[in-house]
Amino acid sequence: MRGDAFSMRVFRPASPAEAVRLFAQNPDALPLAGGTDLMVGWNSGRLNGRAVLDLSRLEEWRRIEVTDEGARIGALATHSEIESHPVLLKRLPLLAEACATVGAVQIRNRGTLGGNVANASPAGDSFPALAVYEAFVHTVSKEGRRSLPILEVFAGVKRTALRPGELIERIDVPFLPQPPARQFFRKVGSRLAQTISKAVGAGLLWLGRGGVVLGCRIAFGSVAPTVRRLRSVEECLHSGRLTPETIEKACAALSSDISPIDDVRSTRLYRMAVSRNLLRAFLTGRA
């Protein structure tokens, strides 16, 4: 280990108000939630001399509250708490399933949803589910509070639209007004467990008589700098019949929505092929 804890300043606020005040006074401090990503940087020595804002004492931000409209998930709620929550399992199953794929049990017990969002990895497993559920991220700073649609939070690879001194306090996930006829979550990686996704997707589909598409929401991750709603694909499908021809047209439109790259985990061609296969399997009911 090259991390030098004695070179770091650690602030441990006891309340959200104190956290906001300390962050305003120390805008270069690194917020610490579960620490599953930050500790990797510490272990490599990249955080030596840095200030850390430890949020672990903020019990108010650990709560998961259920209302008639949806779920209010505190930023410090862990992946394990989300994947095992009885209401989320029933009403937001794609999010629960996504959280169940994050790392190993130890990571899910520590890692938080707010930390996952703030980390802004293109491969964030929860992001496609949050995108199709049209979640909102609520932030707080000394300037007040803001509410951002989940897709507006991400500004690029490991970059967010959060302002200096702004902390995520919760994520609101609305319940669906009507149950979908079809839904899916799928993560593709090098292994069945403890893997970073090469492609990850979530989808919701509402069908009427004769297979007419009444509505659809589809989002993919790990295939662009940020999670993407497949707007071109959705437009191809909306109000049409779910025929083989329509499905192939939608798969062809996928290249307008995603921009995969070659990296150490996979290739652009593989990610594109897998994404088309995932989309085709969902639309044909095989996913």
Side-chain angles (χ1 to χ4, degrees):
M1 290 187 183
R2 294 188 290 273
D4 180 8
F6 292 102
S7 74
M8 302 168 69
R9 292 179 299 145
V10 179
F11 302 100
R12 298 196 70 213
S15 69
E18 186 181 5
V20 169
R21 177 179 60 80
L22 286 171
F23 201 24
Q25 295 170 349
N26 303 273
D28 292 332
L30 296 171
L32 169 63
T36 56
D37 285 291
L38 188 145
M39 290 304 294
V40 174
W42 180 82
N43 187 43
S44 69
R46 296 197 305 270
L47 305 187
N48 289 346
R50 296 294 303 271
V52 173
L53 183 67
D54 180 2
L55 305 174
S56 62
R57 299 170 67 190
L58 307 187
E59 292 299 323
E60 297 96 320
W61 289 3
R62 295 189 181 281
R63 298 171 185 158
I64 300 176
E65 300 177 348
V66 176
T67 69
D68 291 340
E69 292 77 28
R72 296 175 178 172
I73 303 174
L76 300 183
T78 67
H79 301 296
S80 290
E81 290 167 339
I82 293 168
E83 69 169 292
S84 62
H85 193 284
V87 177
L88 303 190
L89 279 167
K90 182 178 180 181
R91 302 293 301 273
L92 302 171
L94 302 183
L95 179 59
E97 187 175 355
C99 288
T101 70
V102 175
V105 172
Q106 297 92 329
I107 295 295
R108 296 197 294 275
N109 286 344
R110 288 289 305 176
T112 66
L113 187 61
N116 199 207
V117 171
N119 191 48
S121 166
D125 294 326
S126 66
F127 301 162
L130 291 173
V132 298
Y133 285 135
E134 299 184 341
F136 283 83
V137 174
H138 292 262
T139 67
V140 61
S141 71
K142 69 173 185 177
E143 307 300 332
R145 287 179 161 81
R146 285 202 300 158
S147 176
L148 297 169
I150 185 66
L151 292 177
E152 294 182 15
V153 172
F154 306 115
V157 177
K158 298 276 188 173
R159 294 191 297 116
T160 71
L162 298 182
R163 297 167 180 168
E166 202 166 34
L167 293 167
I168 297 173
E169 60 178 345
R170 76 173 195 268
I171 295 94
D172 285 3
V173 190
F175 292 144
L176 299 173
Q178 297 292 333
R182 196 176 297 166
Q183 56 189 325
F184 97 112
F185 171 84
R186 181 74 184 276
K187 173 180 176 177
V188 177
S190 299
R191 302 177 299 275
L192 292 178
Q194 299 189 48
T195 187
I196 300 174
S197 63
K198 296 181 179 183
V200 58
L204 301 166
L205 187 67
W206 291 267
L207 297 174
R209 288 185 180 180
V212 173
V213 177
L214 302 179
C216 61
R217 302 178 192 172
I218 310 170
F220 278 14
S222 269
V223 289
T226 64
V227 62
R228 292 284 175 83
R229 274 284 293 271
L230 307 186
R231 302 293 188 183
S232 298
V233 170
E234 292 175 4
E235 185 177 347
C236 280
L237 295 170
H238 188 67
S239 298
R241 294 184 182 277
L242 205 58
T243 63
E245 293 77 16
T246 301
I247 291 172
E248 290 310 308
K249 183 180 177 181
C251 289
L254 186 62
S255 59
S256 299
D257 290 322
I258 65 176
S259 53
I261 61 170
D262 297 329
D263 63 14
V264 295
R265 294 199 311 279
S266 192
T267 67
R268 178 184 65 83
L269 291 176
Y270 178 82
R271 286 186 165 106
M272 183 63 77
V274 166
S275 297
R276 285 202 178 100
N277 289 341
L278 291 179
L279 178 61
R280 187 177 292 109
F282 171 52
L283 296 179
T284 57
R286 299 197 309 267

